[in-house]
Amino acid sequence: MHIKDWKIVLVGCLIILLSPLFGQKSDDNATARAEIKGTPRIIHYTRKDFSGDPQIWAMCQDNDGIMYFGNNDGTLIFDGARWQTVSLPNNSSVRSLLHTTDGHVYAGGFNEFGRIERDEYGHYSYHSLIDQLSPEDRNLENIWAIHEVQNHIVFRSLSRLVAISNNKAFTIPSTGFYHSAVINDKLYLVNGEGVKTLDLQTLSFESLVAPSQFNQETIVAMVEGTAENQVILFTRSGASYTIDHGSKNIHFFKSYFTGNSNNQILSAIKSSAGHYYLGTLSSQIMVLDEHGDPVPLTESFMELQDNTVLNLSESSEGNIWALLNNGIDCINISSPISVLFENASVFDAMIRGGKIYAATNQGVFVSQRIVQNPHFASMEFRKIPGLEGQAWSLLSLHGQILCSHNDGLFVIDDNNILKIEGLAGVWKVIPIRGKDNHYFVCTYTGIHMLRFENGKFELLYRVDGFNESSRDIIQSDEENTFWVCHGYKGVFKLQFDRNFERVVGLEHFREKGLPSPFSINVFRWNDHIVFTTNQGVYTFNETSNQFDPMTELNERFGTDVNVRKLLQYEDKTWFVQDDEAGFFQRDSKKLEKGLFLELKGTFNRSMESILPINTSNVLIGTTTGLYAYDLSFQQHADTKKTLITEVNYQDNGERTKRSLKGSSEQIPHSASDLRFEFSAPKLKDQTQVQYSHMLEGIDEDWSDWSVDPFKNYSQLFPGKYTFKVKARSMIGETTSESSYHFTIAPIWYMTRWAIGAYVLMILLIMIGSRKLVKKKIVVEKEKTREEEKKKRTVLELELDQMRLEREKERIERDKKILEEDVIFKSKELANYTMLLVKKRELLTDLREDLKELKEVAKNERSRNMLRNLIRKIGVNLNDEEHIHVFEANFERVHDDFFQELKTYFPDLTSKELRLCALVKMNLTNKEIAPILNISLRGVETARYRLRKRLSLDHEENMVEFLEKLSP
């Protein structure tokens, strides 16, 4: 589906108060009101969309909102997402279509008429009714119109009328009726004899007017007039006449073409809103007001894809459908959205003097004066010369407009443009509270002072002490204090001197309670200065000198997205949150964003333009243009239904459809690629319908919105499921959800029959098992006796085994005690030897002391006694008996260890064996030395030699090695 670029649109009464900007008073205090209208948006459907002949003759719409179009291939059926084609049996063109009050759709072609029906699987088919006529009456040629009137369905051809009532058909001879219409349940017919009515109860004709009364012109349309019993006739040449059905008087009404025009009227309808739409041969569509007067339109009003409009129809949603010689166009007359300007990116907008001004990236544009008109009016914009380039903002002051521009500051006074010298790169101009006629000029690199005096603006000086960008600035409640937010550097609090000539106090906040210094904006809301960030809204706490969360706003917006715009107007607060625009009422926490969905992602970041006009209308500027919104547009989800149009799946290599009417359809377990197709034809705006769905039993929540009108599931487990789907349009329309209940059948071995077979088999097995058990009990009793005998024998053997085990445990326990005793005796022997060694050391020391005493003794007797003592001590020292006792007992205690050593190391000497035993006992070198009667150095040397004899590495522990050799 190809969607044409939006044109200027707002249908309905978009009333705006002519004031400069946000309620600022204009110089003349004007309070005049005007209506902004625009051309509707148009959706083009081409041959590529419906894959058929593009010449479209007729249209109707059923109760579900599904559209039917007659073309040269048959009937095109459009459910809002997909196109289907139903051909007539003779493949003729479908020239007429009708949806009746009982829900049937009738189609008429060449020598053919019948019904188009939809089966339970969503498939459309044609059922001919031509057989209800006798063979001689079947030569009808083209059925040009179908009507429902007086409980009859009437098919009109040039040769005859066919009426069906209570499933019975009859024909009425025709004298060339080339046009017909039903108005107030009366059937009007036109032929060469004039305009007549037909009473189907009596089958009688009544003449209303003769051809001479409308100048023998060809009637192409008859519609209801503005007065009771009034009918308006439109002729092919462009004239119109009114007929009073009661008095049968006819009057010339109006002519819509000039005398030498080659244009023609081909069709006409009266809309539910009371407007008249004329389809022409070469000038597309003409629009008439309720009085039949043409509404002045520009040449680009409609921009249909073809100039020839064969027929017109209005859908139940209020859209006008143009059936063209080359395609189909849907004209969204009732859209609440109007694109007023779309040639540039809009950063600011204002209304002054009955005109709309737009500051854009290409300069400043101004509209023509808004024309008071209850229908459609052009809103053409032109660029103001001299203001080309990036314009940031507009401000109305003292009857003039100040334009803040990339090239400086400009004054717009009517058509005159004056640049205020000395400035470049200006963001905005703001008034200073408490200093009349003085204004701050906020630039890329600081702030300047501007004054209005003697009817003109004068730049006074640059404010000293602050050189940062001041795009986002607001005056605080503190005297001479302003807040400035920088997109990357955080927040500045500026304190100015009395005359605002310099900054005398500056506080720079990069955090102080704020989540970061980035993406901070400042606004005034409910008399509070609030700061919006990426993680919520904050206010400044003067007491703690830091920023605190703003609970009241955070409860509405949350803290996970950035609110980049806050603007209060009367009872609404407008905002831009996470690239979505919306508003909330003063006493409500609900965010109204649905109407503005298609603007998502199109805002100028931190330069969003929102201009409330009144409580019902607002202008919004984006990167794609300037939009007007009618907030009074009402959504009625309960009257709009999402349709599930088809359910199919893949099974055994084929696509199989399921019924859409069953309460709970069963789908085989072998099915794969289960596909649900859906649409929402009742939505007024079909430009980009979005769907959300959920499969109960699988999904925990609704899916994200998507434009795909289908959902596939590759494989589902057996069980019960409910598929739900809902839709919305990009103007916030929503539909009620639709659901489809189905069951995935279990695998054959989990079916009811299989389960019943399982139960029967189990019962048979239980009966058979019972018999077998009884038989086996007898056998088992005998076996039990034999087993008891064997068990007693085994028990006795086990008892013997247990006794042997206990005996073995006792032996092991005794062995362990003996080993511990050996270790104890070894320790005791070593201690005994140590005592002997200490005794020898004591005797040696005593002998040396006696020798010294003998030298100093003064008489011989004393010396002799000392000699005897020295000699006795020497005899005891020379006694080696204790060594032999130690060696004998030591070898007896460690006999097993010595045997193990000799097995692996047969070359070891007796001294080396003793040294191994002493090392194994974990004695130190100092303790070993006296036992072996060698020096400490000798022990170290002996141990070194022993390591080499044992082939031990330097890192290997000798004690651990000898422990491993213990038997």
Side-chain angles (χ1 to χ4, degrees):
M1 179 177 67
H2 174 66
I3 300 177
K4 188 76 174 174
D5 293 339
W6 283 30
K7 300 311 295 176
I8 311 166
V9 64
L10 184 61
V11 178
C13 297
L14 183 59
I15 303 174
I16 50 179
L17 181 63
L18 292 180
S19 59
L21 186 63
F22 301 126
Q24 296 177 15
K25 293 182 179 180
S26 60
D27 293 340
D28 57 358
N29 294 320
T31 57
R33 302 177 71 85
E35 295 178 345
I36 297 179
K37 305 292 181 183
T39 56
R41 80 169 74 186
I42 303 173
I43 307 174
H44 299 304
Y45 300 96
T46 68
R47 178 197 293 266
K48 292 181 179 180
D49 298 313
F50 48 77
S51 300
D53 189 272
Q55 193 173 44
I56 311 298
W57 300 104
M59 173 196 143
C60 71
Q61 182 185 29
D62 67 16
N63 294 330
D64 290 328
I66 296 174
M67 316 297 295
Y68 300 77
F69 302 92
N71 75 341
N72 293 329
D73 295 329
T75 303
L76 301 173
I77 302 173
F78 182 50
D79 63 8
R82 297 167 197 82
W83 294 86
Q84 300 182 49
T85 302
V86 175
S87 299
L88 301 187
N90 59 5
N91 292 318
S92 71
S93 301
V94 172
R95 300 283 182 153
S96 56
L97 288 164
L98 175 71
H99 176 256
T100 60
T101 53
D102 60 1
H104 291 116
V105 174
Y106 290 87
F110 184 82
N111 287 337
E112 183 62 59
F113 63 88
R115 284 200 299 260
I116 298 174
E117 297 180 353
R118 182 172 184 244
D119 63 22
E120 60 179 337
Y121 301 102
H123 176 72
Y124 291 89
S125 59
Y126 174 80
H127 299 275
S128 178
L129 299 176
I130 194 71
D131 292 340
Q132 295 191 20
L133 299 180
S134 60
E136 60 271 16
D137 290 333
R138 295 178 186 175
N139 186 22
L140 301 171
E141 295 189 347
N142 280 312
I143 303 295
W144 291 102
I146 309 174
H147 303 290
E148 182 178 17
V149 57
Q150 299 171 18
N151 298 319
H152 288 72
I153 306 299
V154 178
F155 301 85
R156 177 182 62 81
S157 72
L158 289 176
S159 60
R160 59 179 55 85
L161 301 176
V162 178
I164 297 178
S165 178
N166 298 322
N167 293 322
K168 294 182 180 180
F170 58 91
T171 60
I172 303 171
S174 169
T175 55
F177 291 121
Y178 65 85
H179 184 74
S180 57
V182 173
I183 301 174
N184 296 325
D185 204 32
K186 292 183 176 65
L187 178 60
Y188 291 82
L189 299 162
V190 182
N191 62 2
E193 300 174 358
V195 180
K196 302 179 179 182
T197 60
L198 171 62
D199 188 341
L200 289 168
Q201 305 302 325
T202 63
L203 298 181
S204 60
F205 291 93
E206 180 185 6
S207 295
L208 292 181
V209 294
S212 59
Q213 293 178 279
F214 48 86
N215 296 325
Q216 305 288 339
E217 296 187 65
T218 301
I219 304 297
V220 295
M222 290 186 289
V223 297
E224 183 182 358
T226 57
E228 187 177 359
N229 293 324
Q230 186 185 71
V231 177
I232 300 178
L233 310 181
F234 292 96
T235 69
R236 182 171 295 169
S237 62
S240 63
Y241 298 83
T242 60
I243 299 177
D244 187 291
H245 184 84
S247 64
K248 300 183 181 181
N249 292 328
I250 184 170
H251 301 281
F252 175 78
F253 188 44
K254 295 180 187 297
S255 180
Y256 299 105
F257 299 139
T258 59
N260 57 355
S261 173
N262 293 322
N263 203 357
Q264 296 179 0
I265 295 177
L266 301 182
S267 58
I269 62 169
K270 182 179 182 180
S271 72
S272 56
H275 306 145
Y276 297 91
Y277 296 86
L278 310 181
T280 69
L281 177 67
S282 57
S283 61
Q284 301 187 1
I285 293 178
M286 297 178 63
V287 183
L288 312 179
D289 62 19
E290 62 270 18
H291 305 295
D293 296 322
V295 174
L297 304 170
T298 62
E299 293 182 0
S300 61
F301 171 70
M302 287 298 179
E303 286 198 2
L304 304 181
Q305 56 186 320
D306 190 79
N307 288 332
T308 301
V309 181
L310 299 178
N311 210 339
L312 290 165
S313 183
E314 183 181 22
S315 66
S316 60
E317 299 81 40
N319 295 333
I320 302 299
W321 290 79
L323 312 183
L324 309 174
N325 191 58
N326 186 21
I328 306 170
D329 281 349
C330 176
I331 308 167
N332 193 348
I333 293 295
S334 56
S335 173
I337 308 173
S338 173
V339 180
L340 302 181
F341 173 77
E342 57 179 349
N343 296 323
S345 180
V346 176
F347 289 81
D348 198 7
M350 67 177 298
I351 299 173
R352 184 177 181 275
K355 298 179 181 180
I356 299 178
Y357 292 81
T360 76
N361 64 316
Q362 298 179 18
V364 179
F365 290 78
V366 62
S367 72
Q368 301 300 314
R369 182 174 294 274
I370 303 172
V371 179
Q372 302 241 9
N373 193 305
H375 301 283
F376 304 99
S378 172
M379 287 292 295
E380 294 185 358
F381 282 76
R382 64 173 178 82
K383 185 184 292 186
I384 299 178
L387 294 177
E388 294 82 1
Q390 178 67 66
W392 295 115
S393 62
L394 301 168
L395 181 64
S396 178
L397 290 173
H398 306 292
Q400 302 176 57
I401 299 176
L402 290 180
C403 172
S404 299
H405 198 282
N406 183 67
D407 295 334
L409 184 62
F410 296 85
V411 179
I412 306 173
D413 189 359
D414 293 330
N415 294 323
N416 299 319
I417 305 299
L418 173 65
K419 181 177 182 181
I420 297 178
E421 299 298 332
L423 291 169
V426 178
W427 292 115
K428 63 173 65 172
V429 176
I430 63 171
I432 303 174
R433 188 174 64 250
K435 196 171 180 65
D436 294 340
N437 296 331
H438 285 73
Y439 308 91
F440 272 162
V441 181
C442 306
T443 71
Y444 299 174
T445 56
I447 302 173
H448 296 254
M449 179 64 76
L450 183 72
R451 180 177 63 188
F452 181 79
E453 192 171 71
N454 299 325
K456 66 178 182 178
F457 291 96
E458 177 185 5
L459 185 66
L460 298 181
Y461 50 80
R462 176 190 176 96
V463 178
D464 292 334
F466 186 72
N467 300 319
E468 300 289 348
S469 173
S470 53
R471 181 188 68 189
D472 200 7
I473 183 171
I474 196 168
Q475 188 167 2
S476 173
D477 295 330
E478 297 182 49
E479 187 177 1
N480 295 3
T481 302
F482 283 74
W483 290 97
V484 177
C485 291
H486 194 286
Y488 304 100
K489 297 182 180 180
V491 180
F492 298 89
K493 185 179 182 182
L494 308 181
Q495 179 73 37
F496 293 87
D497 62 7
R498 183 175 181 181
N499 296 320
F500 292 93
E501 295 179 353
R502 64 165 40 254
V503 174
V504 294
L506 187 151
E507 291 185 79
H508 185 190
F509 301 93
R510 294 184 61 84
E511 290 183 355
K512 280 280 189 175
L514 297 173
S516 77
F518 307 115
S519 302
I520 302 174
N521 299 97
V522 60
F523 306 98
R524 182 176 289 276
W525 184 79
N526 280 357
D527 293 328
H528 296 286
I529 303 295
V530 297
F531 300 82
T532 62
T533 73
N534 289 324
Q535 298 179 29
V537 184
Y538 292 78
T539 58
F540 186 71
N541 188 325
E542 296 288 349
T543 304
S544 60
N545 198 41
Q546 69 172 13
F547 296 88
D548 296 334
M550 179 69 168
T551 304
E552 188 173 356
L553 288 176
N554 288 336
E555 288 178 352
R556 288 182 168 92
F557 296 120
T559 58
D560 54 342
V561 292
N562 193 342
V563 180
R564 299 199 309 271
K565 181 78 173 182
L566 275 179
L567 172 66
Q568 282 187 290
Y569 180 82
E570 295 188 357
D571 62 338
K572 293 183 180 67
T573 295
W574 291 89
F575 62 84
V576 175
Q577 176 197 33
D578 193 24
D579 287 331
E580 291 185 341
F583 66 87
F584 62 84
Q585 300 285 350
R586 178 181 295 127
D587 298 325
S588 173
K589 293 185 178 180
K590 181 181 178 182
L591 303 182
E592 304 287 349
K593 299 191 290 186
L595 186 60
F596 315 97
L597 286 174
E598 61 186 350
L599 297 184
K600 181 178 174 64
T602 65
F603 293 99
N604 295 295
R605 189 172 290 268
S606 296
M607 292 289 288
E608 296 82 2
S609 174
I610 299 178
L611 177 61
I613 305 302
N614 52 41
T615 56
S616 300
N617 305 112
V618 64
L619 303 185
I620 299 179
T622 72
T623 57
T624 58
L626 181 63
Y627 296 78
Y629 280 83
D630 179 6
L631 306 182
S632 63
F633 179 72
Q634 298 294 322
Q635 314 291 356
H636 301 287
D638 55 334
T639 62
K640 301 169 186 175
K641 185 179 180 181
T642 308
L643 299 182
I644 298 177
T645 57
E646 188 172 307
V647 178
N648 61 69
Y649 56 86
Q650 189 84 13
D651 191 20
N652 296 323
E654 297 182 356
R655 298 300 301 186
T656 303
K657 293 183 179 181
R658 300 305 299 180
S659 173
L660 300 173
K661 297 181 180 179
S663 58
S664 182
E665 285 291 304
Q666 187 172 76
I667 297 174
H669 75 276
S670 57
S672 62
D673 191 24
L674 178 60
R675 181 182 178 92
F676 295 90
E677 296 183 356
F678 34 82
S679 64
K682 281 281 190 176
L683 292 177
K684 292 184 179 181
D685 187 0
Q686 290 284 336
T687 53
Q688 193 178 12
V689 177
Q690 294 182 333
Y691 303 91
S692 179
H693 41 75
M694 178 176 65
L695 183 61
E696 290 185 353
I698 296 294
D699 302 326
E700 296 182 357
D701 201 356
W702 289 88
S703 68
D704 294 333
W705 292 100
S706 170
V707 296
D708 295 330
F710 60 86
K711 175 59 179 176
N712 289 70
Y713 295 93
S714 57
Q715 196 78 43
L716 294 176
F717 292 106
K720 293 184 178 180
Y721 298 92
T722 299
F723 177 78
K724 294 182 178 181
V725 63
K726 57 186 178 181
R728 73 178 184 183
S729 71
M730 298 309 287
I731 59 173
E733 294 176 284
T734 58
T735 64
S736 59
E737 66 180 50
S738 292
S739 59
Y740 184 84
H741 305 278
F742 65 99
T743 301
I744 301 295
I747 304 173
W748 67 267
Y749 52 77
M750 296 181 64
T751 61
R752 292 181 179 178
W753 289 105
I755 293 173
Y758 299 153
V759 173
L760 181 60
M761 290 174 62
I762 291 171
L763 289 174
L764 293 174
I765 291 171
M766 290 175 65
I767 294 171
S769 299
R770 188 168 182 269
K771 292 181 178 180
L772 290 174
V773 168
K774 285 183 177 181
K775 184 177 179 180
K776 194 173 182 179
I777 287 173
V778 177
V779 176
E780 290 298 324
K781 284 182 178 180
E782 186 63 29
K783 287 183 178 180
T784 302
R785 294 190 191 98
E786 295 295 329
E787 288 178 356
E788 286 179 354
K789 187 184 294 183
K790 290 180 181 180
K791 286 180 180 179
R792 280 195 297 270
T793 304
V794 171
L795 182 59
E796 291 173 358
L797 291 174
E798 288 179 349
L799 290 173
D800 292 340
Q801 182 68 26
M802 290 175 62
R803 282 194 291 269
L804 290 174
E805 290 293 332
R806 284 197 294 271
E807 185 64 24
K808 184 179 178 181
E809 291 176 358
R810 185 184 61 79
I811 292 171
E812 289 292 333
R813 188 165 57 252
D814 291 345
K815 181 182 176 182
K816 186 176 181 181
I817 292 172
L818 289 174
E819 288 176 349
E820 291 176 351
D821 187 56
V822 168
I823 294 172
F824 173 74
K825 290 183 180 299
S826 296
K827 293 282 187 179
E828 191 176 49
L829 182 59
N831 291 335
Y832 172 72
T833 305
M834 290 294 296
L835 288 174
L836 292 177
V837 170
K838 290 186 179 296
K839 178 183 176 183
R840 285 174 58 84
E841 291 176 352
L842 178 61
L843 290 174
T844 301
D845 293 339
L846 185 58
R847 186 178 63 179
E848 293 301 321
D849 291 340
L850 291 173
K851 284 181 180 182
E852 291 179 2
L853 184 59
K854 185 188 71 166
E855 294 298 329
V856 297
K858 293 184 177 181
N859 55 59
E860 187 63 26
R861 184 183 177 189
S862 299
R863 284 195 293 272
N864 288 334
M865 291 176 67
L866 293 172
R867 284 192 198 99
N868 290 333
L869 289 174
I870 291 170
R871 187 168 48 254
K872 289 178 181 180
I873 292 173
V875 171
N876 278 281
L877 287 175
N878 292 328
D879 186 5
E880 298 292 335
E881 185 62 25
H882 68 284
I883 296 299
H884 297 303
V885 172
F886 170 75
E887 290 177 353
N889 287 281
F890 189 84
E891 290 178 3
R892 191 179 303 117
V893 171
H894 296 282
D895 183 62
D896 292 338
F897 173 66
F898 288 154
Q899 292 299 328
E900 192 74 18
L901 271 176
K902 289 176 183 179
T903 301
Y904 291 102
F905 306 100
D907 297 332
L908 292 178
T909 65
S910 59
K911 289 186 177 180
E912 289 173 339
L913 291 172
R914 283 198 298 272
L915 179 58
C916 288
L918 294 171
V919 171
K920 178 177 176 296
M921 293 170 62
N922 207 15
L923 297 179
T924 63
N925 289 354
K926 188 175 181 181
E927 292 172 334
I928 294 172
I931 295 174
L932 298 182
N933 198 22
I934 58 177
S935 64
L936 184 61
R937 179 67 176 173
V939 175
E940 293 175 353
T941 302
R943 289 187 67 150
Y944 174 74
R945 290 173 181 169
L946 180 60
R947 293 184 69 88
K948 293 183 68 177
R949 295 292 296 274
L950 297 177
S951 301
L952 295 179
D953 294 334
H954 181 69
E955 296 82 8
E956 194 169 358
N957 190 291
M958 186 183 295
V959 176
E960 293 178 357
F961 174 77
L962 294 174
E963 286 288 345
K964 293 177 183 178
L965 292 177
S966 299

